[in-house]
Amino acid sequence: MSQYMLLVYEQEADPSEQAEREAALPLFLEFHRSLREAGLLVNVQRLRSVDSATSVRVRGGETEITDGPFAVTKERLAGYYILDCSDLDEALKQAERFPGSRWGTVEVRPVMPAEEWVKVAREAGADVPDEAVKDLA
């Protein structure tokens, strides 16, 4: 099994359209139940509105803190799922079942295990102790 992250993007909605989306909660509950029963769901979280975001960037030793998301886009990151799937095809199948895919976008991305993260860093020349794996997991 490998872990896959499903990043959920959607456009900001006016109050009536948002109310329609909220009314779809029973579909989400069924989706979550089925993922749990299949042993796929590791974690799921809904994010607050992009209005509550604060972005931090450090460039040339200077820290820049701005209100709002990092990028101005039509779609915003609304939440995420972490699933244990046998392969990418299974993760894509679950993303297709996601109720919000009717109005948003689901980006499916493999999660890099902590052991691989340490290996990649070492290959790049980082001096990383073996116990670092527990701090990255």
Short mmCIF file of all heavy atoms in Angstrom, two decimals, residues 73-108:
data_model
loop_
_atom_site.label_atom_id
_atom_site.label_comp_id
_atom_site.label_asym_id
_atom_site.label_seq_id
_atom_site.Cartn_x
_atom_site.Cartn_y
_atom_site.Cartn_z
N THR A 73 -5.69 32.60 -7.52
CA THR A 73 -6.21 31.67 -8.51
C THR A 73 -7.73 31.68 -8.46
O THR A 73 -8.32 32.22 -7.53
CB THR A 73 -5.73 30.22 -8.22
OG1 THR A 73 -6.27 29.82 -6.96
CG2 THR A 73 -4.22 30.13 -8.20
N LYS A 74 -8.33 31.06 -9.45
CA LYS A 74 -9.79 30.96 -9.44
C LYS A 74 -10.25 29.91 -8.44
O LYS A 74 -11.34 30.00 -7.91
CB LYS A 74 -10.30 30.62 -10.83
CG LYS A 74 -10.14 31.76 -11.81
CD LYS A 74 -10.76 31.43 -13.14
CE LYS A 74 -10.62 32.61 -14.06
NZ LYS A 74 -11.40 32.47 -15.25
N GLU A 75 -9.43 28.88 -8.24
CA GLU A 75 -9.79 27.83 -7.29
C GLU A 75 -8.90 27.93 -6.07
O GLU A 75 -7.76 28.35 -6.15
CB GLU A 75 -9.64 26.45 -7.94
CG GLU A 75 -10.65 26.18 -9.02
CD GLU A 75 -10.60 24.75 -9.52
OE1 GLU A 75 -9.51 24.19 -9.61
OE2 GLU A 75 -11.67 24.22 -9.84
N ARG A 76 -9.46 27.53 -4.93
CA ARG A 76 -8.71 27.56 -3.67
C ARG A 76 -8.63 26.16 -3.12
O ARG A 76 -9.48 25.31 -3.40
CB ARG A 76 -9.41 28.47 -2.68
CG ARG A 76 -10.80 27.95 -2.32
CD ARG A 76 -11.53 28.86 -1.37
NE ARG A 76 -12.89 28.39 -1.17
CZ ARG A 76 -13.27 27.54 -0.23
NH1 ARG A 76 -12.40 27.05 0.60
NH2 ARG A 76 -14.53 27.18 -0.11
N LEU A 77 -7.59 25.90 -2.34
CA LEU A 77 -7.47 24.61 -1.66
C LEU A 77 -8.51 24.57 -0.56
O LEU A 77 -8.51 25.41 0.33
CB LEU A 77 -6.07 24.43 -1.09
CG LEU A 77 -5.80 23.13 -0.36
CD1 LEU A 77 -5.97 21.94 -1.29
CD2 LEU A 77 -4.40 23.14 0.23
N ALA A 78 -9.43 23.63 -0.64
CA ALA A 78 -10.56 23.56 0.29
C ALA A 78 -10.37 22.48 1.35
O ALA A 78 -10.98 22.54 2.41
CB ALA A 78 -11.85 23.31 -0.47
N GLY A 79 -9.55 21.48 1.08
CA GLY A 79 -9.35 20.40 2.02
C GLY A 79 -8.50 19.30 1.41
O GLY A 79 -8.02 19.43 0.29
N TYR A 80 -8.32 18.23 2.18
CA TYR A 80 -7.51 17.13 1.68
C TYR A 80 -7.94 15.81 2.31
O TYR A 80 -8.57 15.78 3.36
CB TYR A 80 -6.02 17.37 1.97
CG TYR A 80 -5.67 17.32 3.43
CD1 TYR A 80 -5.32 16.12 4.04
CD2 TYR A 80 -5.70 18.46 4.22
CE1 TYR A 80 -5.01 16.05 5.39
CE2 TYR A 80 -5.38 18.41 5.57
CZ TYR A 80 -5.04 17.21 6.15
OH TYR A 80 -4.74 17.14 7.48
N TYR A 81 -7.57 14.75 1.63
CA TYR A 81 -7.74 13.39 2.11
C TYR A 81 -6.39 12.71 2.00
O TYR A 81 -5.66 12.95 1.03
CB TYR A 81 -8.72 12.59 1.23
CG TYR A 81 -10.14 13.05 1.31
CD1 TYR A 81 -10.57 14.21 0.67
CD2 TYR A 81 -11.08 12.31 2.03
CE1 TYR A 81 -11.88 14.63 0.74
CE2 TYR A 81 -12.40 12.73 2.10
CZ TYR A 81 -12.79 13.88 1.45
OH TYR A 81 -14.10 14.29 1.54
N ILE A 82 -6.06 11.86 2.93
CA ILE A 82 -4.91 10.98 2.78
C ILE A 82 -5.45 9.56 2.80
O ILE A 82 -6.14 9.17 3.75
CB ILE A 82 -3.86 11.19 3.88
CG1 ILE A 82 -3.30 12.62 3.78
CG2 ILE A 82 -2.73 10.16 3.75
CD1 ILE A 82 -2.26 12.97 4.80
N LEU A 83 -5.18 8.84 1.72
CA LEU A 83 -5.69 7.49 1.56
C LEU A 83 -4.54 6.50 1.42
O LEU A 83 -3.51 6.81 0.82
CB LEU A 83 -6.56 7.39 0.29
CG LEU A 83 -7.73 8.35 0.14
CD1 LEU A 83 -8.46 8.05 -1.16
CD2 LEU A 83 -8.68 8.26 1.32
N ASP A 84 -4.72 5.30 1.95
CA ASP A 84 -3.82 4.18 1.70
C ASP A 84 -4.42 3.40 0.54
O ASP A 84 -5.47 2.76 0.70
CB ASP A 84 -3.74 3.26 2.93
CG ASP A 84 -2.70 3.69 3.93
OD1 ASP A 84 -1.67 4.24 3.51
OD2 ASP A 84 -2.93 3.48 5.14
N CYS A 85 -3.77 3.44 -0.61
CA CYS A 85 -4.29 2.76 -1.80
C CYS A 85 -3.23 1.81 -2.34
O CYS A 85 -2.04 2.02 -2.15
CB CYS A 85 -4.65 3.78 -2.88
SG CYS A 85 -5.99 4.87 -2.41
N SER A 86 -3.69 0.78 -3.05
CA SER A 86 -2.76 -0.18 -3.62
C SER A 86 -1.93 0.43 -4.74
O SER A 86 -0.80 0.03 -4.96
CB SER A 86 -3.50 -1.42 -4.12
OG SER A 86 -4.47 -1.04 -5.08
N ASP A 87 -2.51 1.40 -5.46
CA ASP A 87 -1.78 2.04 -6.55
C ASP A 87 -2.50 3.32 -6.97
O ASP A 87 -3.56 3.67 -6.43
CB ASP A 87 -1.63 1.09 -7.75
CG ASP A 87 -2.96 0.55 -8.27
OD1 ASP A 87 -4.02 1.18 -8.04
OD2 ASP A 87 -2.95 -0.51 -8.90
N LEU A 88 -1.93 4.02 -7.93
CA LEU A 88 -2.49 5.28 -8.41
C LEU A 88 -3.89 5.08 -8.98
O LEU A 88 -4.78 5.91 -8.77
CB LEU A 88 -1.57 5.92 -9.45
CG LEU A 88 -2.06 7.21 -10.09
CD1 LEU A 88 -2.27 8.30 -9.05
CD2 LEU A 88 -1.09 7.67 -11.17
N ASP A 89 -4.12 3.99 -9.68
CA ASP A 89 -5.44 3.75 -10.26
C ASP A 89 -6.53 3.71 -9.20
O ASP A 89 -7.61 4.27 -9.39
CB ASP A 89 -5.45 2.44 -11.07
CG ASP A 89 -4.67 2.56 -12.37
OD1 ASP A 89 -4.48 3.69 -12.85
OD2 ASP A 89 -4.25 1.51 -12.89
N GLU A 90 -6.24 3.06 -8.07
CA GLU A 90 -7.23 3.02 -6.99
C GLU A 90 -7.46 4.42 -6.42
O GLU A 90 -8.60 4.81 -6.15
CB GLU A 90 -6.79 2.07 -5.89
CG GLU A 90 -7.82 1.96 -4.77
CD GLU A 90 -7.44 0.98 -3.69
OE1 GLU A 90 -6.24 0.64 -3.53
OE2 GLU A 90 -8.37 0.56 -2.97
N ALA A 91 -6.39 5.20 -6.26
CA ALA A 91 -6.53 6.57 -5.75
C ALA A 91 -7.36 7.42 -6.71
O ALA A 91 -8.21 8.20 -6.28
CB ALA A 91 -5.15 7.19 -5.52
N LEU A 92 -7.13 7.27 -7.99
CA LEU A 92 -7.90 8.02 -8.99
C LEU A 92 -9.37 7.63 -8.97
O LEU A 92 -10.26 8.48 -9.12
CB LEU A 92 -7.31 7.82 -10.39
CG LEU A 92 -5.92 8.41 -10.61
CD1 LEU A 92 -5.37 7.97 -11.97
CD2 LEU A 92 -5.94 9.92 -10.49
N LYS A 93 -9.63 6.34 -8.77
CA LYS A 93 -11.02 5.87 -8.69
C LYS A 93 -11.73 6.52 -7.51
O LYS A 93 -12.88 6.94 -7.61
CB LYS A 93 -11.04 4.34 -8.59
CG LYS A 93 -12.43 3.76 -8.57
CD LYS A 93 -12.43 2.24 -8.67
CE LYS A 93 -11.83 1.64 -7.43
NZ LYS A 93 -11.91 0.18 -7.37
N GLN A 94 -11.04 6.61 -6.37
CA GLN A 94 -11.65 7.23 -5.19
C GLN A 94 -11.86 8.73 -5.41
O GLN A 94 -12.87 9.28 -5.00
CB GLN A 94 -10.79 6.97 -3.95
CG GLN A 94 -10.63 5.50 -3.61
CD GLN A 94 -11.95 4.74 -3.54
OE1 GLN A 94 -12.95 5.25 -3.05
NE2 GLN A 94 -11.95 3.52 -4.04
N ALA A 95 -10.92 9.38 -6.07
CA ALA A 95 -11.06 10.82 -6.36
C ALA A 95 -12.27 11.06 -7.26
O ALA A 95 -13.00 12.04 -7.09
CB ALA A 95 -9.79 11.35 -7.02
N GLU A 96 -12.50 10.16 -8.19
CA GLU A 96 -13.66 10.28 -9.08
C GLU A 96 -14.97 10.17 -8.30
O GLU A 96 -15.95 10.81 -8.63
CB GLU A 96 -13.59 9.19 -10.15
CG GLU A 96 -14.65 9.29 -11.20
CD GLU A 96 -14.52 8.20 -12.25
OE1 GLU A 96 -13.43 7.61 -12.39
OE2 GLU A 96 -15.52 7.94 -12.93
N ARG A 97 -14.97 9.36 -7.23
CA ARG A 97 -16.17 9.19 -6.40
C ARG A 97 -16.43 10.38 -5.49
O ARG A 97 -17.52 10.51 -4.95
CB ARG A 97 -16.00 7.94 -5.52
CG ARG A 97 -15.97 6.63 -6.26
CD ARG A 97 -15.89 5.45 -5.29
NE ARG A 97 -16.93 5.53 -4.27
CZ ARG A 97 -16.71 5.54 -2.95
NH1 ARG A 97 -15.48 5.47 -2.48
NH2 ARG A 97 -17.71 5.62 -2.09
N PHE A 98 -15.44 11.23 -5.27
CA PHE A 98 -15.55 12.35 -4.35
C PHE A 98 -16.70 13.27 -4.77
O PHE A 98 -16.73 13.76 -5.90
CB PHE A 98 -14.22 13.12 -4.32
CG PHE A 98 -14.28 14.36 -3.50
CD1 PHE A 98 -14.42 14.30 -2.13
CD2 PHE A 98 -14.18 15.61 -4.09
CE1 PHE A 98 -14.47 15.46 -1.36
CE2 PHE A 98 -14.23 16.77 -3.34
CZ PHE A 98 -14.38 16.69 -1.97
N PRO A 99 -17.67 13.52 -3.89
CA PRO A 99 -18.84 14.32 -4.27
C PRO A 99 -18.50 15.72 -4.77
O PRO A 99 -19.15 16.23 -5.68
CB PRO A 99 -19.67 14.40 -2.98
CG PRO A 99 -19.27 13.20 -2.19
CD PRO A 99 -17.82 12.98 -2.52
N GLY A 100 -17.47 16.35 -4.22
CA GLY A 100 -17.11 17.70 -4.62
C GLY A 100 -16.48 17.80 -5.99
O GLY A 100 -16.30 18.90 -6.52
N SER A 101 -16.16 16.67 -6.61
CA SER A 101 -15.57 16.73 -7.95
C SER A 101 -16.58 17.24 -8.98
O SER A 101 -16.22 17.61 -10.08
CB SER A 101 -15.02 15.37 -8.38
OG SER A 101 -16.06 14.42 -8.50
N ARG A 102 -17.86 17.31 -8.56
CA ARG A 102 -18.89 17.85 -9.46
C ARG A 102 -18.74 19.35 -9.64
O ARG A 102 -19.18 19.90 -10.63
CB ARG A 102 -20.28 17.54 -8.92
CG ARG A 102 -20.58 16.05 -8.88
CD ARG A 102 -21.94 15.78 -8.31
NE ARG A 102 -22.09 16.57 -7.09
CZ ARG A 102 -23.03 16.37 -6.19
NH1 ARG A 102 -23.92 15.43 -6.36
NH2 ARG A 102 -23.11 17.11 -5.10
N TRP A 103 -18.15 20.05 -8.66
CA TRP A 103 -17.97 21.50 -8.79
C TRP A 103 -16.53 21.94 -8.59
O TRP A 103 -16.19 23.09 -8.79
CB TRP A 103 -18.87 22.26 -7.80
CG TRP A 103 -18.63 21.93 -6.36
CD1 TRP A 103 -17.59 22.37 -5.58
CD2 TRP A 103 -19.42 21.09 -5.54
NE1 TRP A 103 -17.69 21.84 -4.32
CE2 TRP A 103 -18.82 21.05 -4.26
CE3 TRP A 103 -20.60 20.37 -5.74
CZ2 TRP A 103 -19.35 20.33 -3.20
CZ3 TRP A 103 -21.09 19.64 -4.68
CH2 TRP A 103 -20.48 19.63 -3.45
N GLY A 104 -15.65 21.03 -8.21
CA GLY A 104 -14.26 21.39 -7.95
C GLY A 104 -13.30 20.47 -8.67
O GLY A 104 -13.68 19.76 -9.60
N THR A 105 -12.07 20.49 -8.24
CA THR A 105 -11.00 19.68 -8.82
C THR A 105 -10.34 18.89 -7.70
O THR A 105 -10.13 19.43 -6.62
CB THR A 105 -9.94 20.59 -9.48
OG1 THR A 105 -10.57 21.39 -10.47
CG2 THR A 105 -8.82 19.79 -10.11
N VAL A 106 -9.99 17.66 -7.97
CA VAL A 106 -9.27 16.84 -7.01
C VAL A 106 -7.91 16.50 -7.62
O VAL A 106 -7.84 15.83 -8.64
CB VAL A 106 -10.03 15.54 -6.65
CG1 VAL A 106 -9.25 14.72 -5.63
CG2 VAL A 106 -11.43 15.87 -6.14
N GLU A 107 -6.86 16.98 -7.00
CA GLU A 107 -5.50 16.67 -7.44
C GLU A 107 -5.03 15.47 -6.62
O GLU A 107 -5.11 15.49 -5.39
CB GLU A 107 -4.58 17.87 -7.18
CG GLU A 107 -3.14 17.63 -7.51
CD GLU A 107 -2.26 18.83 -7.16
OE1 GLU A 107 -2.78 19.95 -6.98
OE2 GLU A 107 -1.04 18.62 -7.04
N VAL A 108 -4.56 14.43 -7.29
CA VAL A 108 -4.09 13.22 -6.62
C VAL A 108 -2.57 13.20 -6.69
O VAL A 108 -2.00 13.31 -7.78
CB VAL A 108 -4.68 11.95 -7.29
CG1 VAL A 108 -4.14 10.69 -6.62
CG2 VAL A 108 -6.20 11.99 -7.26
#
